Amino acid sequence: MKAVFDPLASAYDREFTHSRIGLLQRQSVWDHLSPLLLAVRGMEVLELNCGTGADAIYMARHGHNVLATDISGEMLKAAEDKVMQHGLEDRIRTERMGFDEVKGRFEPGQFDMVFSDFGGLNCIDANDLGALCDPLADAIRPKGRFIAVIMPDRCLAETGYFLLKGKWSEAFRRGRHEPLWASLSGSGVMTWYHSPRTVAKMFSQRFRLVSLRPIGLFVPPSYLEPFFKERPRTLRRLSALDEHFKGQAWTARYADHYLIDLERRP
């Protein structure tokens, strides 16, 4: 799978990380993380699918130690360049690792938190996602956290967009059982969509649900960036609506992404 992601590395920051939509959605994630990062200093954090390192840098700048992992060597190179630019080599280590390599790789309770942002876990099917429960629980200390940002099997903004375009077959595509091809800069990856309820149930034996919130309920998916690039005022209004609804857990299934915060059971 790593070869699939390598060509995406050069485009990822341009098309998502630094886009208006990407910045707004990531800020929503950071707004949730911030109280936890400020409450405890010096946490040991394992980041899955770290991409080009934006979240690792954010956590490290809050005083935490991050093992940033990704299956793509090119993504890791981009992340390493950023780490050096910010002078955070003492806080961030990088390591190539796929989801299927987590089991048995770490000491029991080695981490205070495991974090996965923006749909990395959508790159595996439900069986492989469920198989991560025990390996992650073993790697996290009791009452430590597993926080993931995942694309659900519904998205109101996406459905509305395709209905307006008259693309009826695309309007409800996330609800199909088969994976879909998600494109980025001429390349892409097969994508599975996981509902919040399904994920919570998968991990329920080893984790309890702390919170669930929508990420991009009104702020649209990033492929609509060209449309909203010239409409910053509209995007700000949509972001304000997202802020208003962030505490409504039931809306999480209908956003572009959702954040699920799980606590490791003792």
PDB file of all heavy atoms in Angstrom, residues 53-88:
ATOM      1  N   GLY A  53       3.015  15.544   8.756  1.00  0.00           N
ATOM      2  CA  GLY A  53       3.507  15.946  10.066  1.00  0.00           C
ATOM      3  C   GLY A  53       2.860  17.131  10.758  1.00  0.00           C
ATOM      4  O   GLY A  53       3.321  17.533  11.823  1.00  0.00           O
ATOM      5  N   ALA A  54       1.780  17.692  10.218  1.00  0.00           N
ATOM      6  CA  ALA A  54       1.183  18.887  10.820  1.00  0.00           C
ATOM      7  C   ALA A  54       0.713  18.634  12.251  1.00  0.00           C
ATOM      8  O   ALA A  54       0.939  19.460  13.147  1.00  0.00           O
ATOM      9  CB  ALA A  54       0.017  19.391   9.968  1.00  0.00           C
ATOM     10  N   ASP A  55       0.078  17.492  12.488  1.00  0.00           N
ATOM     11  CA  ASP A  55      -0.440  17.213  13.825  1.00  0.00           C
ATOM     12  C   ASP A  55       0.684  16.859  14.802  1.00  0.00           C
ATOM     13  O   ASP A  55       0.629  17.238  15.978  1.00  0.00           O
ATOM     14  CB  ASP A  55      -1.459  16.074  13.770  1.00  0.00           C
ATOM     15  CG  ASP A  55      -2.684  16.445  12.957  1.00  0.00           C
ATOM     16  OD1 ASP A  55      -3.309  17.475  13.260  1.00  0.00           O
ATOM     17  OD2 ASP A  55      -3.015  15.711  12.007  1.00  0.00           O
ATOM     18  N   ALA A  56       1.676  16.132  14.335  1.00  0.00           N
ATOM     19  CA  ALA A  56       2.811  15.792  15.196  1.00  0.00           C
ATOM     20  C   ALA A  56       3.489  17.066  15.700  1.00  0.00           C
ATOM     21  O   ALA A  56       3.847  17.174  16.886  1.00  0.00           O
ATOM     22  CB  ALA A  56       3.808  14.920  14.440  1.00  0.00           C
ATOM     23  N   ILE A  57       3.665  18.036  14.810  1.00  0.00           N
ATOM     24  CA  ILE A  57       4.282  19.302  15.202  1.00  0.00           C
ATOM     25  C   ILE A  57       3.419  20.043  16.207  1.00  0.00           C
ATOM     26  O   ILE A  57       3.916  20.593  17.205  1.00  0.00           O
ATOM     27  CB  ILE A  57       4.546  20.160  13.949  1.00  0.00           C
ATOM     28  CG1 ILE A  57       5.689  19.536  13.138  1.00  0.00           C
ATOM     29  CG2 ILE A  57       4.869  21.608  14.318  1.00  0.00           C
ATOM     30  CD1 ILE A  57       5.845  20.105  11.760  1.00  0.00           C
ATOM     31  N   TYR A  58       2.113  20.039  15.990  1.00  0.00           N
ATOM     32  CA  TYR A  58       1.197  20.699  16.921  1.00  0.00           C
ATOM     33  C   TYR A  58       1.304  20.081  18.320  1.00  0.00           C
ATOM     34  O   TYR A  58       1.397  20.798  19.328  1.00  0.00           O
ATOM     35  CB  TYR A  58      -0.236  20.582  16.403  1.00  0.00           C
ATOM     36  CG  TYR A  58      -1.272  21.212  17.295  1.00  0.00           C
ATOM     37  CD1 TYR A  58      -1.439  22.595  17.327  1.00  0.00           C
ATOM     38  CD2 TYR A  58      -2.085  20.431  18.103  1.00  0.00           C
ATOM     39  CE1 TYR A  58      -2.396  23.185  18.144  1.00  0.00           C
ATOM     40  CE2 TYR A  58      -3.047  21.006  18.918  1.00  0.00           C
ATOM     41  CZ  TYR A  58      -3.198  22.382  18.937  1.00  0.00           C
ATOM     42  OH  TYR A  58      -4.146  22.956  19.754  1.00  0.00           O
ATOM     43  N   MET A  59       1.312  18.758  18.397  1.00  0.00           N
ATOM     44  CA  MET A  59       1.389  18.093  19.704  1.00  0.00           C
ATOM     45  C   MET A  59       2.755  18.298  20.347  1.00  0.00           C
ATOM     46  O   MET A  59       2.859  18.518  21.561  1.00  0.00           O
ATOM     47  CB  MET A  59       1.064  16.605  19.542  1.00  0.00           C
ATOM     48  CG  MET A  59      -0.397  16.353  19.181  1.00  0.00           C
ATOM     49  SD  MET A  59      -0.878  14.593  19.085  1.00  0.00           S
ATOM     50  CE  MET A  59      -0.130  14.126  17.516  1.00  0.00           C
ATOM     51  N   ALA A  60       3.814  18.237  19.546  1.00  0.00           N
ATOM     52  CA  ALA A  60       5.160  18.431  20.088  1.00  0.00           C
ATOM     53  C   ALA A  60       5.350  19.845  20.622  1.00  0.00           C
ATOM     54  O   ALA A  60       6.013  20.054  21.652  1.00  0.00           O
ATOM     55  CB  ALA A  60       6.199  18.125  19.019  1.00  0.00           C
ATOM     56  N   ARG A  61       4.780  20.818  19.943  1.00  0.00           N
ATOM     57  CA  ARG A  61       4.895  22.211  20.406  1.00  0.00           C
ATOM     58  C   ARG A  61       4.135  22.444  21.703  1.00  0.00           C
ATOM     59  O   ARG A  61       4.373  23.441  22.382  1.00  0.00           O
ATOM     60  CB  ARG A  61       4.415  23.155  19.305  1.00  0.00           C
ATOM     61  CG  ARG A  61       5.332  23.156  18.089  1.00  0.00           C
ATOM     62  CD  ARG A  61       4.853  24.084  16.998  1.00  0.00           C
ATOM     63  NE  ARG A  61       5.013  25.491  17.365  1.00  0.00           N
ATOM     64  CZ  ARG A  61       4.731  26.510  16.570  1.00  0.00           C
ATOM     65  NH1 ARG A  61       4.251  26.272  15.344  1.00  0.00           N
ATOM     66  NH2 ARG A  61       4.908  27.745  16.955  1.00  0.00           N
ATOM     67  N   HIS A  62       3.254  21.526  22.050  1.00  0.00           N
ATOM     68  CA  HIS A  62       2.573  21.576  23.343  1.00  0.00           C
ATOM     69  C   HIS A  62       3.332  20.780  24.412  1.00  0.00           C
ATOM     70  O   HIS A  62       2.811  20.562  25.510  1.00  0.00           O
ATOM     71  CB  HIS A  62       1.143  21.047  23.213  1.00  0.00           C
ATOM     72  CG  HIS A  62       0.174  22.064  22.679  1.00  0.00           C
ATOM     73  ND1 HIS A  62       0.156  22.442  21.353  1.00  0.00           N
ATOM     74  CD2 HIS A  62      -0.804  22.780  23.295  1.00  0.00           C
ATOM     75  CE1 HIS A  62      -0.798  23.345  21.172  1.00  0.00           C
ATOM     76  NE2 HIS A  62      -1.389  23.567  22.330  1.00  0.00           N
ATOM     77  N   GLY A  63       4.528  20.319  24.091  1.00  0.00           N
ATOM     78  CA  GLY A  63       5.371  19.673  25.090  1.00  0.00           C
ATOM     79  C   GLY A  63       5.279  18.173  25.149  1.00  0.00           C
ATOM     80  O   GLY A  63       5.713  17.568  26.142  1.00  0.00           O
ATOM     81  N   HIS A  64       4.765  17.534  24.107  1.00  0.00           N
ATOM     82  CA  HIS A  64       4.591  16.085  24.130  1.00  0.00           C
ATOM     83  C   HIS A  64       5.559  15.399  23.177  1.00  0.00           C
ATOM     84  O   HIS A  64       6.043  16.005  22.205  1.00  0.00           O
ATOM     85  CB  HIS A  64       3.143  15.740  23.786  1.00  0.00           C
ATOM     86  CG  HIS A  64       2.162  16.413  24.687  1.00  0.00           C
ATOM     87  ND1 HIS A  64       1.950  16.027  25.993  1.00  0.00           N
ATOM     88  CD2 HIS A  64       1.374  17.508  24.493  1.00  0.00           C
ATOM     89  CE1 HIS A  64       1.064  16.833  26.555  1.00  0.00           C
ATOM     90  NE2 HIS A  64       0.708  17.747  25.672  1.00  0.00           N
ATOM     91  N   ASN A  65       5.843  14.149  23.460  1.00  0.00           N
ATOM     92  CA  ASN A  65       6.751  13.352  22.641  1.00  0.00           C
ATOM     93  C   ASN A  65       5.938  12.495  21.682  1.00  0.00           C
ATOM     94  O   ASN A  65       5.047  11.755  22.114  1.00  0.00           O
ATOM     95  CB  ASN A  65       7.624  12.462  23.527  1.00  0.00           C
ATOM     96  CG  ASN A  65       8.415  13.265  24.538  1.00  0.00           C
ATOM     97  OD1 ASN A  65       9.063  14.246  24.182  1.00  0.00           O
ATOM     98  ND2 ASN A  65       8.351  12.868  25.797  1.00  0.00           N
ATOM     99  N   VAL A  66       6.253  12.583  20.406  1.00  0.00           N
ATOM    100  CA  VAL A  66       5.433  11.940  19.383  1.00  0.00           C
ATOM    101  C   VAL A  66       6.257  10.960  18.568  1.00  0.00           C
ATOM    102  O   VAL A  66       7.330  11.307  18.059  1.00  0.00           O
ATOM    103  CB  VAL A  66       4.812  12.992  18.436  1.00  0.00           C
ATOM    104  CG1 VAL A  66       3.890  12.307  17.417  1.00  0.00           C
ATOM    105  CG2 VAL A  66       4.053  14.056  19.220  1.00  0.00           C
ATOM    106  N   LEU A  67       5.747   9.738  18.465  1.00  0.00           N
ATOM    107  CA  LEU A  67       6.265   8.787  17.492  1.00  0.00           C
ATOM    108  C   LEU A  67       5.313   8.851  16.303  1.00  0.00           C
ATOM    109  O   LEU A  67       4.190   8.347  16.359  1.00  0.00           O
ATOM    110  CB  LEU A  67       6.320   7.376  18.065  1.00  0.00           C
ATOM    111  CG  LEU A  67       6.737   6.274  17.071  1.00  0.00           C
ATOM    112  CD1 LEU A  67       8.100   6.581  16.442  1.00  0.00           C
ATOM    113  CD2 LEU A  67       6.754   4.905  17.736  1.00  0.00           C
ATOM    114  N   ALA A  68       5.740   9.517  15.243  1.00  0.00           N
ATOM    115  CA  ALA A  68       4.901   9.745  14.072  1.00  0.00           C
ATOM    116  C   ALA A  68       5.153   8.643  13.049  1.00  0.00           C
ATOM    117  O   ALA A  68       6.272   8.496  12.556  1.00  0.00           O
ATOM    118  CB  ALA A  68       5.193  11.116  13.464  1.00  0.00           C
ATOM    119  N   THR A  69       4.124   7.876  12.728  1.00  0.00           N
ATOM    120  CA  THR A  69       4.275   6.745  11.822  1.00  0.00           C
ATOM    121  C   THR A  69       3.397   6.911  10.588  1.00  0.00           C
ATOM    122  O   THR A  69       2.338   7.538  10.636  1.00  0.00           O
ATOM    123  CB  THR A  69       3.909   5.417  12.519  1.00  0.00           C
ATOM    124  OG1 THR A  69       2.498   5.375  12.774  1.00  0.00           O
ATOM    125  CG2 THR A  69       4.672   5.269  13.825  1.00  0.00           C
ATOM    126  N   ASP A  70       3.856   6.331   9.506  1.00  0.00           N
ATOM    127  CA  ASP A  70       3.086   6.322   8.262  1.00  0.00           C
ATOM    128  C   ASP A  70       3.617   5.203   7.392  1.00  0.00           C
ATOM    129  O   ASP A  70       4.787   4.825   7.499  1.00  0.00           O
ATOM    130  CB  ASP A  70       3.206   7.667   7.540  1.00  0.00           C
ATOM    131  CG  ASP A  70       2.049   7.914   6.581  1.00  0.00           C
ATOM    132  OD1 ASP A  70       2.021   7.285   5.508  1.00  0.00           O
ATOM    133  OD2 ASP A  70       1.171   8.731   6.899  1.00  0.00           O
ATOM    134  N   ILE A  71       2.772   4.684   6.534  1.00  0.00           N
ATOM    135  CA  ILE A  71       3.209   3.613   5.642  1.00  0.00           C
ATOM    136  C   ILE A  71       4.008   4.154   4.462  1.00  0.00           C
ATOM    137  O   ILE A  71       4.754   3.426   3.805  1.00  0.00           O
ATOM    138  CB  ILE A  71       1.988   2.801   5.145  1.00  0.00           C
ATOM    139  CG1 ILE A  71       2.451   1.454   4.588  1.00  0.00           C
ATOM    140  CG2 ILE A  71       1.169   3.601   4.133  1.00  0.00           C
ATOM    141  CD1 ILE A  71       1.304   0.506   4.295  1.00  0.00           C
ATOM    142  N   SER A  72       3.877   5.457   4.198  1.00  0.00           N
ATOM    143  CA  SER A  72       4.533   6.071   3.038  1.00  0.00           C
ATOM    144  C   SER A  72       5.863   6.714   3.414  1.00  0.00           C
ATOM    145  O   SER A  72       5.918   7.624   4.245  1.00  0.00           O
ATOM    146  CB  SER A  72       3.615   7.131   2.422  1.00  0.00           C
ATOM    147  OG  SER A  72       4.316   7.946   1.514  1.00  0.00           O
ATOM    148  N   GLY A  73       6.916   6.270   2.776  1.00  0.00           N
ATOM    149  CA  GLY A  73       8.215   6.872   3.007  1.00  0.00           C
ATOM    150  C   GLY A  73       8.274   8.323   2.567  1.00  0.00           C
ATOM    151  O   GLY A  73       8.951   9.150   3.188  1.00  0.00           O
ATOM    152  N   GLU A  74       7.562   8.666   1.487  1.00  0.00           N
ATOM    153  CA  GLU A  74       7.555  10.041   0.999  1.00  0.00           C
ATOM    154  C   GLU A  74       6.826  10.969   1.965  1.00  0.00           C
ATOM    155  O   GLU A  74       7.240  12.117   2.166  1.00  0.00           O
ATOM    156  CB  GLU A  74       6.919  10.107  -0.392  1.00  0.00           C
ATOM    157  CG  GLU A  74       7.719   9.417  -1.481  1.00  0.00           C
ATOM    158  CD  GLU A  74       9.108  10.006  -1.624  1.00  0.00           C
ATOM    159  OE1 GLU A  74       9.233  11.248  -1.637  1.00  0.00           O
ATOM    160  OE2 GLU A  74      10.070   9.226  -1.717  1.00  0.00           O
ATOM    161  N   MET A  75       5.739  10.497   2.549  1.00  0.00           N
ATOM    162  CA  MET A  75       5.056  11.280   3.568  1.00  0.00           C
ATOM    163  C   MET A  75       5.984  11.528   4.752  1.00  0.00           C
ATOM    164  O   MET A  75       6.065  12.645   5.294  1.00  0.00           O
ATOM    165  CB  MET A  75       3.787  10.558   4.046  1.00  0.00           C
ATOM    166  CG  MET A  75       2.659  10.517   3.041  1.00  0.00           C
ATOM    167  SD  MET A  75       1.796  12.092   2.893  1.00  0.00           S
ATOM    168  CE  MET A  75       0.343  11.583   1.952  1.00  0.00           C
ATOM    169  N   LEU A  76       6.697  10.497   5.168  1.00  0.00           N
ATOM    170  CA  LEU A  76       7.606  10.637   6.300  1.00  0.00           C
ATOM    171  C   LEU A  76       8.744  11.609   5.995  1.00  0.00           C
ATOM    172  O   LEU A  76       9.162  12.372   6.867  1.00  0.00           O
ATOM    173  CB  LEU A  76       8.166   9.274   6.697  1.00  0.00           C
ATOM    174  CG  LEU A  76       7.178   8.313   7.372  1.00  0.00           C
ATOM    175  CD1 LEU A  76       7.839   6.969   7.624  1.00  0.00           C
ATOM    176  CD2 LEU A  76       6.640   8.890   8.672  1.00  0.00           C
ATOM    177  N   LYS A  77       9.243  11.588   4.766  1.00  0.00           N
ATOM    178  CA  LYS A  77      10.291  12.549   4.397  1.00  0.00           C
ATOM    179  C   LYS A  77       9.792  13.978   4.520  1.00  0.00           C
ATOM    180  O   LYS A  77      10.496  14.868   5.019  1.00  0.00           O
ATOM    181  CB  LYS A  77      10.770  12.277   2.970  1.00  0.00           C
ATOM    182  CG  LYS A  77      11.619  11.025   2.825  1.00  0.00           C
ATOM    183  CD  LYS A  77      12.030  10.820   1.367  1.00  0.00           C
ATOM    184  CE  LYS A  77      12.817   9.527   1.200  1.00  0.00           C
ATOM    185  NZ  LYS A  77      13.157   9.296  -0.231  1.00  0.00           N
ATOM    186  N   ALA A  78       8.567  14.205   4.058  1.00  0.00           N
ATOM    187  CA  ALA A  78       7.980  15.549   4.181  1.00  0.00           C
ATOM    188  C   ALA A  78       7.809  15.928   5.643  1.00  0.00           C
ATOM    189  O   ALA A  78       8.063  17.073   6.037  1.00  0.00           O
ATOM    190  CB  ALA A  78       6.639  15.592   3.449  1.00  0.00           C
ATOM    191  N   ALA A  79       7.372  14.959   6.462  1.00  0.00           N
ATOM    192  CA  ALA A  79       7.213  15.223   7.891  1.00  0.00           C
ATOM    193  C   ALA A  79       8.553  15.526   8.544  1.00  0.00           C
ATOM    194  O   ALA A  79       8.674  16.451   9.364  1.00  0.00           O
ATOM    195  CB  ALA A  79       6.551  14.024   8.569  1.00  0.00           C
ATOM    196  N   GLU A  80       9.574  14.775   8.202  1.00  0.00           N
ATOM    197  CA  GLU A  80      10.908  14.983   8.779  1.00  0.00           C
ATOM    198  C   GLU A  80      11.459  16.359   8.429  1.00  0.00           C
ATOM    199  O   GLU A  80      12.114  17.005   9.259  1.00  0.00           O
ATOM    200  CB  GLU A  80      11.838  13.870   8.308  1.00  0.00           C
ATOM    201  CG  GLU A  80      11.516  12.513   8.923  1.00  0.00           C
ATOM    202  CD  GLU A  80      12.112  11.351   8.157  1.00  0.00           C
ATOM    203  OE1 GLU A  80      12.796  11.607   7.126  1.00  0.00           O
ATOM    204  OE2 GLU A  80      11.889  10.199   8.553  1.00  0.00           O
ATOM    205  N   ASP A  81      11.211  16.808   7.203  1.00  0.00           N
ATOM    206  CA  ASP A  81      11.655  18.153   6.806  1.00  0.00           C
ATOM    207  C   ASP A  81      10.998  19.214   7.682  1.00  0.00           C
ATOM    208  O   ASP A  81      11.656  20.169   8.122  1.00  0.00           O
ATOM    209  CB  ASP A  81      11.317  18.410   5.342  1.00  0.00           C
ATOM    210  CG  ASP A  81      12.210  17.632   4.378  1.00  0.00           C
ATOM    211  OD1 ASP A  81      13.266  17.152   4.827  1.00  0.00           O
ATOM    212  OD2 ASP A  81      11.833  17.507   3.201  1.00  0.00           O
ATOM    213  N   LYS A  82       9.707  19.054   7.951  1.00  0.00           N
ATOM    214  CA  LYS A  82       8.995  20.016   8.802  1.00  0.00           C
ATOM    215  C   LYS A  82       9.518  19.984  10.233  1.00  0.00           C
ATOM    216  O   LYS A  82       9.651  21.027  10.884  1.00  0.00           O
ATOM    217  CB  LYS A  82       7.497  19.726   8.798  1.00  0.00           C
ATOM    218  CG  LYS A  82       6.792  20.048   7.505  1.00  0.00           C
ATOM    219  CD  LYS A  82       5.300  19.782   7.642  1.00  0.00           C
ATOM    220  CE  LYS A  82       4.573  20.047   6.352  1.00  0.00           C
ATOM    221  NZ  LYS A  82       3.120  19.749   6.472  1.00  0.00           N
ATOM    222  N   VAL A  83       9.786  18.786  10.717  1.00  0.00           N
ATOM    223  CA  VAL A  83      10.310  18.644  12.087  1.00  0.00           C
ATOM    224  C   VAL A  83      11.623  19.406  12.221  1.00  0.00           C
ATOM    225  O   VAL A  83      11.840  20.137  13.210  1.00  0.00           O
ATOM    226  CB  VAL A  83      10.496  17.153  12.435  1.00  0.00           C
ATOM    227  CG1 VAL A  83      11.273  17.005  13.749  1.00  0.00           C
ATOM    228  CG2 VAL A  83       9.145  16.452  12.539  1.00  0.00           C
ATOM    229  N   MET A  84      12.490  19.279  11.239  1.00  0.00           N
ATOM    230  CA  MET A  84      13.767  19.989  11.272  1.00  0.00           C
ATOM    231  C   MET A  84      13.567  21.500  11.179  1.00  0.00           C
ATOM    232  O   MET A  84      14.234  22.270  11.875  1.00  0.00           O
ATOM    233  CB  MET A  84      14.660  19.502  10.132  1.00  0.00           C
ATOM    234  CG  MET A  84      15.134  18.067  10.280  1.00  0.00           C
ATOM    235  SD  MET A  84      16.233  17.545   8.935  1.00  0.00           S
ATOM    236  CE  MET A  84      17.626  18.637   9.199  1.00  0.00           C
ATOM    237  N   GLN A  85      12.639  21.930  10.338  1.00  0.00           N
ATOM    238  CA  GLN A  85      12.375  23.353  10.191  1.00  0.00           C
ATOM    239  C   GLN A  85      11.895  23.979  11.499  1.00  0.00           C
ATOM    240  O   GLN A  85      12.209  25.137  11.800  1.00  0.00           O
ATOM    241  CB  GLN A  85      11.329  23.580   9.098  1.00  0.00           C
ATOM    242  CG  GLN A  85      11.835  23.290   7.696  1.00  0.00           C
ATOM    243  CD  GLN A  85      10.704  23.255   6.676  1.00  0.00           C
ATOM    244  OE1 GLN A  85       9.591  23.687   6.959  1.00  0.00           O
ATOM    245  NE2 GLN A  85      10.985  22.740   5.493  1.00  0.00           N
ATOM    246  N   HIS A  86      11.146  23.199  12.287  1.00  0.00           N
ATOM    247  CA  HIS A  86      10.619  23.700  13.560  1.00  0.00           C
ATOM    248  C   HIS A  86      11.546  23.389  14.738  1.00  0.00           C
ATOM    249  O   HIS A  86      11.234  23.755  15.877  1.00  0.00           O
ATOM    250  CB  HIS A  86       9.233  23.099  13.826  1.00  0.00           C
ATOM    251  CG  HIS A  86       8.140  23.675  12.966  1.00  0.00           C
ATOM    252  ND1 HIS A  86       7.908  23.244  11.679  1.00  0.00           N
ATOM    253  CD2 HIS A  86       7.240  24.659  13.212  1.00  0.00           C
ATOM    254  CE1 HIS A  86       6.894  23.932  11.169  1.00  0.00           C
ATOM    255  NE2 HIS A  86       6.475  24.788  12.078  1.00  0.00           N
ATOM    256  N   GLY A  87      12.648  22.719  14.485  1.00  0.00           N
ATOM    257  CA  GLY A  87      13.586  22.401  15.553  1.00  0.00           C
ATOM    258  C   GLY A  87      13.021  21.480  16.603  1.00  0.00           C
ATOM    259  O   GLY A  87      13.304  21.624  17.797  1.00  0.00           O
ATOM    260  N   LEU A  88      12.244  20.475  16.184  1.00  0.00           N
ATOM    261  CA  LEU A  88      11.556  19.592  17.134  1.00  0.00           C
ATOM    262  C   LEU A  88      12.086  18.159  17.080  1.00  0.00           C
ATOM    263  O   LEU A  88      11.376  17.220  17.444  1.00  0.00           O
ATOM    264  CB  LEU A  88      10.050  19.601  16.844  1.00  0.00           C
ATOM    265  CG  LEU A  88       9.329  20.915  17.154  1.00  0.00           C
ATOM    266  CD1 LEU A  88       7.920  20.904  16.579  1.00  0.00           C
ATOM    267  CD2 LEU A  88       9.290  21.167  18.670  1.00  0.00           C
TER     268      LEU A  88
END
